[in-house]
Amino acid sequence: MGQSSSTPCHRRPKPPFAAPRPSATMIPEAAISTDSTGSVWDHTADLPDECLALIFQSLGSGDRKRCSLVCRRWLAVEGQSRHRLSLDARAALLEVAPSVFARFDAVCKLALKCDRRSDSIGDEALALISVRCPNLTRLKLRACRAITERGMAALAKHCPNLRKLSCGSCTFGAKGVEAVLRGCALLEELSIKRLRGLSDASADPVSPGAAATSLRSVCLKELYNGQCFAPLIAGSPNIKILKLSRCSGDWDRLLAAIADGVPGIVEIHLEKLQLSDRGLAALSFCADLEVLHLVKIPECTDAGLATLADKCRLLRKIHIDGWKTNRIGDEGLMVVARRCPNLQELVLIGVNPTTLSLGLIASNCRNLERLALCGSETFGDAEMSCIAAKCTALKKLCIKGCPVSDQGMEALAEGCPKLVKVKVKKCRGVTPEFVEWLRASRATLAVNLDIVSQIEQPDATLSESGILDNGSELLPAMVDQMASVELPSSSNGRSCPWKARMGFLVGRNFFASTFRRWSHGSSNPHRS
């Protein structure tokens, strides 16, 4: 019909597993070439599907999606090599689930998340997904309120290799969790948050079932009747990590039973629980304990911390949020210093230590690398000088809302030879001029200062109990950010007291840099 014929392509035999050949106009330019006769050849056609899949796995999610649009072969290989998938779990997913999992038939890590204002998938959809994903090892359910015990039973039946289950804001109860524990003998991690089916105080206790020997980590958060999981924890002797947060009920007696059944716990997080020194004394029988988080538990005092530290001598990380109750202080921390020489990380929020405990910790805990203090009324210049003089292994230091000043921070110019990161926030006594001097004195030291206006009001609120709660949840994130920084350490660049060296800062360059920092301080995330 007057149309010219297309350019002939050089053809080779297709391997038996290859999908239809892509059009030359769709292949990336670097993957095609033209020989002396003008024939176009796709070099990716020589790659086995397995090699193409390895290439896709090194790409980001966006690039993988774009590659799947190149041709039918790439579409098939990309789908068959995708092991992780996150889906909108609204009810409409049921209609498209067969086609979705026909393409992604190798998924082993799946997240199903639904908006709280929408209708979620139900038992039928979860059963269909579990049948299509028999190799599922990790599952996360968020706000899937239409899933009941029947759906969880179907999941346990068709996905026996499940190793990690995380549920949040779902409505099934203890029977749904127990169905998974009975059917998934390889389950290692269980995380449950706001499980609304536990609202009945008479809920049946949850037993570990077939997962008794495989469970390694249990996390329970914001559960009205979380104590029904006590038999599960106590009956799983190989648990290493236990996290309990905002679960109602008296936990003293239950922690005693847990400590008897699971003496090998290595890491424990306790937050906003009805717990006293009796519970801490029970945990002292976990001699292998290395990580302790004690957050906003007002009934715990120096006595309980001392009892725990006296027997748990392998402690490496301690995070304490005293919630401004002044019930944990020097007395408990001094026992930690005497009994826990392996301490590497110490975070104190709303705790008031002095040179008595800090000096002992610095002298005895020679491996202390990370120290953070927030909202301490007693951490001033004397305590700062003590840390600078004795903490020779310290690498990261974070101070927030403490009465420390330039005079105390001056000791950092000569002390802590391995220090690589300092973060100061809401300490009104520390000035930008001093920070400039400290940076000049120790070029390898990264110093972050959050400048607070003199007229700014503290972002503190009072809880229902009248106790000051000033957003100290932000400090762990600051500590994590500091721990992720790897900078070269150096002890050179020492200088005489900073006030005698301020002359080099006088002039236009200093004022320009200072105003520039003020103007960008709020917008720079690294200085927040």
Side-chain angles (χ1 to χ4, degrees):
M1 299 297 292
Q3 296 179 349
S4 59
S5 58
S6 59
T7 303
C9 293
H10 178 66
R11 297 183 178 275
R12 293 185 183 179
K14 296 180 183 178
F17 50 77
R21 179 183 298 278
S23 168
T25 59
M26 301 176 65
I27 300 295
E29 210 173 299
I32 59 176
S33 63
T34 305
D35 59 19
S36 58
T37 63
S39 300
V40 179
W41 175 249
D42 170 22
H43 294 286
T44 64
D46 293 331
L47 286 176
D49 286 359
E50 294 79 6
C51 293
L52 195 58
L54 290 175
I55 296 173
F56 289 156
Q57 289 173 5
S58 66
L59 301 177
S61 177
D63 289 334
R64 289 192 65 144
K65 292 177 181 177
R66 284 185 282 271
C67 286
S68 68
L69 300 176
V70 169
C71 62
R72 280 177 286 182
R73 181 196 175 203
W74 286 27
L75 176 68
V77 173
E78 194 279 329
Q80 293 166 2
S81 63
R82 187 182 285 268
H83 303 301
R84 187 190 301 267
L85 195 62
S86 180
L87 298 175
D88 186 343
R90 283 180 284 186
L93 179 62
L94 176 61
E95 300 178 5
V96 298
S99 59
V100 169
F101 290 98
R103 176 188 171 192
F104 302 108
D105 57 357
V107 171
C108 59
K109 301 175 184 178
L110 178 63
L112 299 173
K113 304 177 182 180
C114 181
D115 187 277
R116 295 185 180 181
R117 295 167 294 183
S118 305
D119 295 331
S120 73
I121 59 172
D123 295 339
E124 183 180 358
L126 185 60
L128 174 62
I129 292 172
S130 62
V131 171
R132 294 295 187 114
C133 302
N135 297 321
L136 200 63
T137 59
R138 295 189 179 187
L139 176 63
K140 179 183 291 186
L141 300 175
R142 289 292 181 270
C144 296
R145 294 175 298 278
I147 294 178
T148 68
E149 285 79 1
R150 293 177 55 192
M152 299 303 292
L155 171 70
K157 178 181 178 181
H158 298 292
C159 299
N161 297 321
L162 194 67
R163 294 179 179 272
K164 182 177 180 179
L165 175 64
S166 176
C167 305
S169 301
C170 296
T171 55
F172 56 84
K175 292 182 179 179
V177 178
E178 201 164 35
V180 175
L181 294 171
R182 286 196 306 264
C184 303
L186 301 178
L187 192 68
E188 297 177 356
E189 298 183 34
L190 178 64
S191 178
I192 299 176
K193 182 178 181 180
R194 291 194 299 267
L195 197 61
R196 306 188 186 282
L198 296 178
S199 57
D200 185 5
S202 62
D204 296 332
V206 179
S207 59
T213 58
S214 63
L215 268 178
R216 297 292 186 273
S217 173
V218 174
C219 176
L220 306 176
K221 290 186 178 182
E222 301 179 33
L223 299 180
Y224 176 75
N225 191 23
Q227 294 188 351
C228 67
F229 290 96
L232 162 67
I233 302 172
S236 305
N238 296 321
I239 288 180
K240 300 299 180 184
I241 302 175
L242 177 61
K243 299 180 181 181
L244 304 174
S245 175
R246 307 183 187 189
C247 296
S248 61
D250 186 356
W251 284 90
D252 283 338
R253 179 178 54 84
L254 295 177
L255 283 181
I258 290 172
D260 290 338
V262 195
I265 292 180
V266 174
E267 179 176 346
I268 187 164
H269 296 232
L270 305 173
E271 179 180 358
K272 288 188 176 180
L273 299 177
Q274 185 179 337
L275 179 70
S276 68
D277 290 340
R278 290 177 52 199
L280 293 183
L283 290 176
S284 66
F285 291 98
C286 300
D288 296 331
L289 192 64
E290 297 181 8
V291 180
L292 172 66
H293 285 233
L294 199 61
V295 179
K296 297 179 180 178
I297 304 182
E299 296 302 318
C300 292
T301 69
D302 281 323
L305 179 61
T307 302
L308 179 66
D310 185 54
K311 295 183 179 180
C312 300
R313 303 188 180 186
L314 300 180
L315 280 169
R316 295 183 298 105
K317 297 181 180 181
I318 297 179
H319 290 217
I320 299 177
D321 186 341
W323 219 4
K324 299 285 186 178
T325 59
N326 289 327
R327 307 198 72 179
I328 293 180
D330 278 340
E331 185 177 342
L333 293 175
M334 284 191 290
V335 178
V336 171
R338 296 189 184 101
R339 298 297 186 181
C340 306
N342 298 324
L343 192 64
Q344 297 177 357
E345 179 175 306
L346 178 62
V347 177
L348 301 176
I349 305 173
V351 178
N352 295 324
T354 67
T355 54
L356 292 176
S357 58
L358 292 176
L360 198 59
I361 290 174
S363 300
N364 294 356
C365 304
R366 308 301 295 179
N367 297 321
L368 185 65
E369 296 181 349
R370 296 175 295 277
L371 176 64
L373 295 107
C374 174
S376 173
E377 298 175 355
T378 58
F379 189 82
D381 292 340
E383 287 70 24
M384 186 69 255
S385 300
C386 176
I387 293 297
K390 297 183 178 181
C391 287
T392 57
L394 194 66
K395 294 182 179 179
K396 283 100 179 179
L397 175 63
C398 177
I399 305 172
K400 178 181 177 183
C402 298
V404 66
S405 69
D406 292 341
Q407 184 177 358
M409 296 291 290
E410 178 185 332
L412 292 179
E414 298 291 340
C416 300
K418 295 184 179 180
L419 194 65
V420 296
K421 177 80 171 181
V422 176
K423 191 174 185 71
V424 182
K425 187 172 184 179
K426 296 185 180 180
C427 296
R428 299 179 182 275
V430 182
T431 63
E433 294 86 352
F434 168 77
V435 171
E436 291 288 349
W437 172 83
L438 184 59
R439 288 178 181 142
S441 300
R442 296 184 65 167
T444 60
L445 180 62
V447 185
N448 289 346
L449 172 65
D450 179 62
I451 301 175
V452 181
S453 172
Q454 295 298 326
I455 61 174
E456 179 183 349
Q457 297 297 324
D459 55 345
T461 57
L462 288 176
S463 63
E464 294 180 359
S465 58
I467 300 175
L468 183 64
D469 188 357
N470 60 347
S472 57
E473 291 83 358
L474 297 176
L475 189 66
M478 294 164 57
V479 176
D480 293 340
Q481 181 183 2
M482 289 168 57
S484 65
V485 176
E486 294 295 337
L487 298 174
S489 61
S490 173
S491 59
N492 57 9
R494 304 297 172 82
S495 176
C496 57
W498 76 277
K499 292 183 179 179
R501 295 286 305 277
M502 281 299 295
F504 80 98
L505 293 175
V506 178
R508 294 177 60 186
N509 292 337
F510 162 67
F511 289 106
S513 63
T514 302
F515 289 132
R516 193 179 304 114
R517 290 187 185 280
W518 288 349
S519 63
H520 290 84
S522 60
S523 61
N524 189 345
H526 298 289
R527 298 185 181 277
S528 60

